[in-house]
Amino acid sequence: MSNIRRKIERWFETFGDLIYRRRWLAFILILVLVAGLASQVPKITFDLSTEGFLHKDDPARTTYTEFRKDFGRDDLIIIAIQPPKVFDMAFLGKLKSLHEELEKEVPYLEDVLSLVNARNTRGEEDSLIVEDLLENWPRDEADLEALRKRVMSNVLYQDRLISQDGRFTTVVIKTNSFSSLAKEQDVLAGFEEEESGNGEAESEELQFLTDEENKAVVDAVRRVIAGYENPDFRIYMAGMPVTVDVIKRTMLHDVSRFVRLVLLTIGICLFLLFRRVTGVLLPLLVVVFSALSTLGLMSIFQVSFKLPTAILPSFILAVGVGAAVHLLSIFYQDFQKTGDKKGAICHALGHSGLAIVMTSLTTAAGLASFSASQVAPIADLGVFASVGVLAALVYTIVLLPALLAIIPLKVKKSGSDNSRRLFMDRILSVTARFSTGHPKSITCISLGLIVLSILGASRLTFSHNVIGWLPEGVPIRVSTEKIDRELKGTIALEVIVDTEQENGLYDVETLNLLDGLAAEMVEIQGDDFFVGKATSISDILKEIHQALNENQPEFYTIPQDPKVIPQEFLLFENSGSDDLEEVVDSQFSRTRFTIQAPWLDFLKYQPFIPEIEDRFLRAFGERAKITLTGMMAIGSRTIYAAIHSMKESYIIAGCVITIMMILLVGSLKIGLVSMFPNLLPIVITLGVMGWFGFPLDMFSMMIGSIAIGLAVDDTIHFMHNFRRYYSDSGDVGDAVQKTLHTAGRAMLVTSVVLSLGFFIYLFASMNNLFYFGLLTGLTIILALLADFFLAPALMALIHRPVRK
């Protein structure tokens, strides 16, 4: 293996000579490539929706798409209003004005629902009248009192349009299910769809309301309500479209700030290390080119920017600089001694080229373990973060030497950095002596930390709560919690009941089962979970039946005569109301059953969703096909997929990186042992999370695979240099000393840059990014300590001293 390593080093030296001679060609080619990719960055799109966490072909997402095609959106904008008194002439007038202005100003609107136009179904002689609740405006207090009684006695209004205590009322905004852009495309695609013979082409063309369209909706709603809000007209706005908009605004603000802070941090660290302008600007150019190339490729492949991929730009900036630091460290050392630029470039590539390639490949492998994730944005992160790392590798070994060859450099006068260098040398020397002098103690302490950390890791819990990522006191979080308390829910679980036969929903027993299940659902409760409301087509039928029987309360029930049911539904449709379209398909074979619940961590829904499904399956048996969908189901599927994918990615990353480490060091035994310093930081971090109660969410789940890919970089540089020096001297202490005095400097600097790059997330507005940055930065520091202390200790235990 030693001869093979020498041949590879000579090949890198030859490559350095080639780059030196073709420096302008290399520079121009890369500049053209980056310019082309960077031009695509402004075209990148955003998708922060809940369903966007799943791949387009995920069964849960395709089911949800079909649901929206048939029944419209279930993620509504809810505006809750708290006046001094709801049933007041002045308030109702203001409510009507708000309602009408929303209808006029909000784009992509399907419906606005409030007490103004709530469905009021009543019978008058032999006629069924379906009209707006306030079609006949109240004239005096007696009319207001009659209105109050009518509203408070209507179970369909309660916890949807009016709170049970009558203190809150709502305006519910339902937007179009699909983008207007998609509809325009569908007109042109009609002939192709007809030829396909099925609905697959149509489904592929359908696109949910785009991010820009959603933003236009929320902005318009905000503008309108701003003109009405005052102490006597308190407004709380919630719902998934609003949540998505808030998170996007927060994310964009944080991302732009992170990029600036990461660049500043890297620049300061590079200046302190090299004290050269080129030592600062060239690595920054490498990482900026890498980030632009990655984002450009995302745009070209039409991969949307999602919440987990928000870390991508600053991540690439921080991670990509490591290879450049290692190359420049060796280059400047040799150039300072010889003054020969070409020789220094060849020497730097020969010395560190193999290690740089291997560290980049292991980092990419750790990140690529996410690429098979069932969670779409994590899979995207795995692919494009790997691409960014590999782009940084290419620019480091091609662009960086080319620029060093082009830019005039001078040998620095000695003495200016001697004191600083001597101080660092003393620290590294003490570290080397201590780690090789107390190998058993260091190893025992490490084993003790592992045991303690495993105990802590056993206390870990999982979490997926998008609103919980936002700080307490943020309006969307306050509004959601307020509406959940007062109106019993802001999120829905949709149960699709498919009788698989035309007019199957005219069946009395089917309607009785739906009615009975609604009563069952509201009895379901847990520690935090409860069902606030359950509605279905049976509620509309009971309303019709009551109206046709002189509005008597005792007739608010399902008619048991099979001949009456289709007649009553027909009367309702002929009344001019289209409300049935929201709950049943045109064939009367499929219907939705909506279960309203408060917004919680999606993990807390998981015990109840199977229970609800089981109750429907037992009730209907072979009578109907049962399918669960909606925001609650999508979110629960996401956290399940994330947990499953985390296990896979950890195993894949660990196995692939271990194999690469064995191949690099040329020894199965040493390769396996060298993984111990890489796994120790991850185990400790998981233990810290468990002991301090930090949950494993969509971001913290990624720490393990990211950290093992980054931590192994320093271990590779350590082992690569240790094996070189140990083969020369046969003395562990001497080999560790030389390793830390050469590669150790760059290891220290890259670890500081990386950890600071992640600690910058402590300035994040969202809690999940805060903890992700804190824990990943901690892991990188622990990895450096493991490479400075544990790795030398293990080498001292494995290698016996050679007597001369």
Side-chain angles (χ1 to χ4, degrees), residues 479-491:
S479 296
T480 301
E481 292 168 355
K482 187 75 170 179
I483 295 172
D484 281 338
R485 284 195 304 271
E486 302 294 340
L487 292 135
K488 297 185 178 180
T490 52
I491 191 170

Side-chain angles (χ1 to χ4, degrees), residues 435-511:
S435 59
T436 54
H438 304 83
K440 292 182 180 179
S441 299
I442 292 172
T443 304
C444 288
I445 291 172
S446 300
L447 291 173
L449 288 173
I450 286 179
V451 172
L452 187 63
S453 298
I454 290 174
L455 291 175
S458 66
R459 301 160 59 93
L460 280 170
T461 58
F462 293 93
S463 172
H464 182 56
N465 185 356
V466 178
I467 289 181
W469 292 345
L470 297 168
E472 293 183 7
V474 171
I476 182 61
R477 186 167 175 176
V478 172
S479 296
T480 301
E481 292 168 355
K482 187 75 170 179
I483 295 172
D484 281 338
R485 284 195 304 271
E486 302 294 340
L487 292 135
K488 297 185 178 180
T490 52
I491 191 170
L493 176 67
E494 300 285 352
V495 184
I496 306 302
V497 179
D498 187 356
T499 64
E500 299 184 311
Q501 57 181 326
E502 188 174 353
N503 297 326
L505 291 169
Y506 289 158
D507 179 66
V508 175
E509 184 58 28
T510 298
L511 293 166

Side-chain angles (χ1 to χ4, degrees), residues 97-385:
S97 176
L98 171 63
H99 181 111
E100 291 174 347
E101 190 170 348
L102 287 169
E103 286 183 324
K104 179 181 178 182
E105 298 297 331
V106 177
Y108 314 112
L109 189 64
E110 182 171 317
D111 191 21
V112 176
L113 179 65
S114 71
L115 290 178
V116 173
N117 67 335
R119 185 178 68 244
N120 181 34
T121 307
R122 59 186 178 86
E124 194 172 284
E125 296 180 353
D126 294 332
S127 300
L128 179 70
I129 298 174
V130 182
E131 61 187 4
D132 290 347
L133 178 62
L134 292 180
E135 186 166 318
N136 298 313
W137 197 258
R139 292 165 295 180
D140 51 32
E141 290 298 322
D143 286 350
L144 286 172
E145 179 59 22
L147 175 65
R148 187 191 68 80
K149 288 180 179 180
R150 190 182 316 136
V151 170
M152 299 306 296
S153 64
N154 191 316
V155 294
L156 292 179
Y157 294 167
Q158 290 179 16
D159 295 323
R160 179 170 172 82
L161 296 176
I162 191 80
S163 62
Q164 291 189 3
D165 61 8
R167 295 188 307 115
F168 285 81
T169 186
T170 64
V171 178
V172 181
I173 298 173
K174 184 177 182 180
T175 59
N176 296 333
S177 292
F178 299 98
S179 170
S180 58
L181 298 176
K183 290 179 181 177
E184 291 171 9
Q185 293 171 359
D186 284 342
V187 172
L188 298 176
F191 292 103
E192 296 176 7
E193 291 171 12
E194 186 176 344
E195 291 174 6
S196 69
N198 54 45
E200 292 179 6
E202 182 182 352
S203 297
E204 290 174 0
E205 291 294 333
L206 290 173
Q207 177 186 347
F208 289 164
L209 216 62
T210 66
D211 180 75
E212 284 303 312
E213 289 170 329
N214 185 74
K215 179 179 181 298
V217 169
V218 176
D219 285 346
V221 174
R222 283 200 179 102
R223 284 195 302 271
V224 171
I225 65 175
Y228 290 84
E229 190 167 14
N230 60 52
D232 290 334
F233 202 92
R234 294 181 183 175
I235 296 178
Y236 302 89
M237 184 168 69
M240 184 55 72
V242 185
T243 302
V244 167
D245 184 69
V246 170
I247 289 176
K248 181 198 171 184
R249 292 171 189 268
T250 305
M251 182 187 75
L252 290 177
H253 175 264
D254 282 352
V255 166
S256 62
R257 183 170 53 168
F258 292 160
V259 169
R260 293 193 299 268
L261 288 174
V262 168
L263 289 173
L264 178 63
T265 302
I266 293 173
I268 292 172
C269 292
L270 292 173
F271 178 76
L272 293 175
L273 175 65
F274 297 124
R275 302 299 176 100
R276 287 177 176 268
V277 174
T278 53
V280 175
L281 295 182
L282 296 187
L284 287 179
L285 191 64
V286 166
V287 294
V288 169
F289 276 17
S290 302
L292 290 174
S293 300
T294 304
L295 296 178
L297 287 170
M298 285 184 68
S299 179
I300 289 171
F301 287 97
Q302 298 182 341
V303 175
S304 297
F305 213 62
K306 302 181 178 74
L307 192 56
T309 50
I311 68 171
L312 194 57
S314 52
F315 176 83
I316 293 173
L317 293 177
V319 172
V321 76
V325 168
H326 279 280
L327 189 68
L328 285 177
S329 294
I330 303 301
F331 168 79
Y332 285 134
Q333 286 180 20
D334 193 74
F335 181 69
Q336 190 69 21
K337 293 177 184 177
T338 65
D340 179 7
K341 187 191 291 186
K342 178 181 176 182
I345 291 173
C346 294
H347 173 72
L349 281 171
H351 182 279
S352 298
L354 176 60
I356 287 171
V357 170
M358 291 302 294
T359 54
S360 298
L361 291 178
T362 52
T363 300
L367 295 166
S369 65
F370 296 130
S371 61
S373 174
Q374 298 175 30
V375 181
I378 292 181
D380 294 341
L381 182 68
V383 171
F384 289 98

